[in-house]
Amino acid sequence: MLVSGRKAEVVDAAGGTFVDFIMGWGALLLGHQPSAVLQALREALRHGTLLGLTHPAEVELARLIAQAVPSVEQVRFTASGTEACVTAVKLARAHTGRATILTFEGCYHGHAESVMAHGSAGIPGVLARETLRIPYDDLDALETTMRRAGDRLACVIIEPVAANMGVIAPRPAYLARLRELTRHYGAVLIFDEVVTGFRVGLSGAQGLFGVRPDLTTFGKIIGGGFPIGAVGGGRAIMRRLAPEGDVYHGGTFAGHPWSMAAGVATLSAVMTRAPYEGLETLSQRLAEGLQEAAHAHAIAVQIHRVGSMMTIFFSSKPVRNVDDVKASRRDQFARWVAVLREQGILMPPSPYEAMFVSTAHTALHVKRCVDASREAFRSLADG
Ligand SMILES: *Cc1c(COP(=O)(O)O)cnc(C)c1O
């Protein structure tokens, strides 16, 4: 149990301090309690809690997102990433007049029925049948499925860099081919950038790969530590959202003033301070340190990193999809996490969750993590 967080560290109920690599599951790009966010919140508090209609910070946050992400002309806010994905899928179904959606094993788009159809109990079979699912980054499976079902797909929804089976980036040509195929078959391409948005760069993974989706979902970082989600895209499709269009969307807390204020403060800081180079340098140093430490003790690892998000898979084979993650040594992963925790370093407890470096982390935090990992790898080598 954690009781507080400040900069790159968290404190647990027993008073222990830990260097935090969970970082709000990726939401805290600027670390815990960044001063820009605290100041914006103090200001927002003076204007009330919930206003009930559109307010200036909501317009400003939408403007910042559209400015940073070229495929986004219009934005709608929700209270969570889950709702953003629900809204994107519903929009795609309305836009195409089709029901079936294509998803990928190991990707996560929140816990709503359609996208969770194969990952949870309690979902009617009729919905599951409309949710196709194929392996991630498998071009043959993609080509085959699109040939067979492309013309009845409302959308394809994908994490352009997977962050919920650990960090797995698709091979470079994959997303470009996905773009061609979805365009050919008239299916809406949705990039779920709830994690990667403003994490891997200002324009997200779509900027990194140079592929333009029809719709993008956001969450996590854009709320500056507060509940948020957003769906954005071109006007032609976004216009279908109510009240202008016929696709219903609502939410008592959607566009909450405090989330918007924290989000504006965060994105403003990111857009003026351009933290990505610094994050890249620090994260690279961490990845290299972990790699060398593992190598020194002959522990087989695959370290995947895209910018400041990374995962260490304990595996001697390349990790390309969720089956490879399942086949990795999760016992070794758990041991590494446990040894690090003893040494005051907090890692996500599972290789399915990415670890995150924030702008609050320093070279010293990285060194402490590498040193502690060396201990962990030594203990693993000793059996
Ligand atoms: C976290 C996450 C979501 C869901 O967001 P919530 O705010 O937790 O509902 C959706 N997609 C991806 C890729 C995520 O990582």
Side-chain angles (χ1 to χ4, degrees), residues 93 99 114 117 123-131:
R93 282 174 163 158
S114 268
I123 295 168
V126 61
L127 275 179
R129 277 192 293 281
E130 298 295 0
T131 302

Side-chain angles (χ1 to χ4, degrees), residues 25 79-83 85 108-111 159 163-164 192-195 217 219-220 228:
W25 306 104
S80 68
T82 296
E83 291 166 78
C85 295
Y108 177 68
H109 309 293
H111 52 84
E159 288 182 76
N164 288 284
D192 180 349
E193 301 232 36
V194 170
V195 172
T217 55
K220 297 197 168 98
I228 201 166

Side-chain angles (χ1 to χ4, degrees), residues 19-355:
V19 183
D20 181 18
F21 287 99
I22 294 178
M23 277 295 151
W25 306 104
L28 304 177
L29 183 70
L30 308 178
H32 295 272
Q33 300 192 47
S35 57
V37 169
L38 293 187
Q39 200 180 327
L41 280 172
R42 274 192 291 270
E43 178 67 21
L45 244 171
R46 298 200 297 117
H47 298 291
T49 52
L50 186 60
L51 296 171
L53 289 178
T54 301
H55 54 93
E58 188 175 0
V59 177
E60 178 60 9
L61 187 57
R63 195 187 65 75
L64 290 172
I65 294 170
Q67 185 185 330
V69 186
S71 71
V72 173
E73 292 176 341
Q74 202 171 316
V75 177
R76 175 67 60 89
F77 290 107
T78 63
S80 68
T82 296
E83 291 166 78
C85 295
V86 167
T87 306
V89 168
K90 193 161 49 179
L91 255 179
R93 282 174 163 158
H95 186 72
T96 57
R98 303 171 180 174
T100 308
I101 71 173
L102 177 61
T103 65
F104 299 86
E105 290 165 8
C107 283
Y108 177 68
H109 309 293
H111 52 84
E113 272 102 345
S114 268
V115 291
M116 258 275 142
H118 303 286
S120 170
I123 295 168
V126 61
L127 275 179
R129 277 192 293 281
E130 298 295 0
T131 302
L132 308 183
R133 194 174 56 151
I134 60 175
Y136 193 72
D137 194 24
D138 179 334
L139 211 44
D140 288 344
L142 179 65
E143 300 276 356
T144 308
T145 304
M146 293 305 280
R147 258 199 311 277
R148 188 166 50 79
D151 57 7
R152 57 188 173 91
L153 288 183
C155 66
V156 178
I157 181 167
I158 190 167
E159 288 182 76
V161 174
N164 288 284
M165 49 178 156
V167 172
I168 297 181
R171 280 162 289 192
Y174 186 73
L175 295 176
R177 184 63 184 144
L178 180 57
R179 176 66 281 185
E180 284 173 5
L181 287 167
T182 44
R183 191 171 282 132
H184 178 77
Y185 287 102
V188 173
L189 178 59
I190 304 171
F191 276 5
D192 180 349
E193 301 232 36
V194 170
V195 172
T196 51
F198 297 91
R199 163 67 56 185
V200 300
L202 256 192
S203 48
Q206 54 195 271
L208 210 61
F209 288 96
V211 174
R212 240 175 131 111
D214 301 304
L215 288 174
T216 304
T217 55
F218 299 92
K220 297 197 168 98
I221 286 175
I222 65 160
F226 279 77
I228 201 166
V231 54
R235 267 196 202 87
I237 181 163
M238 289 299 292
R239 229 189 346 238
R240 288 203 71 133
L241 276 177
E244 207 182 347
D246 56 356
V247 176
Y248 183 74
H249 165 258
T252 306
F253 298 111
H256 193 282
W258 294 2
S259 301
M260 298 298 115
V264 168
T266 300
L267 295 200
S268 301
V270 166
M271 288 164 95
T272 52
R273 273 191 258 145
Y276 298 108
E277 244 176 76
L279 283 168
E280 173 68 23
T281 306
L282 202 59
S283 307
Q284 185 182 4
R285 187 184 299 186
L286 178 55
E288 286 172 1
L290 293 175
Q291 184 72 62
E292 280 165 27
H295 185 74
H297 295 285
I299 302 296
V301 297
Q302 308 288 328
I303 296 175
H304 287 198
R305 182 180 72 85
V306 179
S308 55
M309 50 195 260
M310 71 178 91
T311 303
I312 177 166
F313 295 106
F314 289 82
S315 169
S316 55
K317 295 190 314 229
V319 177
R320 303 265 21 125
N321 55 43
V322 76
D323 289 333
D324 298 334
V325 180
K326 278 186 200 137
S328 72
R329 293 284 305 267
R330 282 181 284 162
D331 57 327
Q332 293 192 333
F333 185 94
R335 183 91 162 269
W336 172 68
V337 170
V339 173
L340 259 60
R341 188 181 286 210
E342 282 163 21
Q343 313 240 359
I345 313 266
L346 184 65
M347 283 294 165
S350 138
Y352 288 89
E353 303 287 353
M355 55 186 277

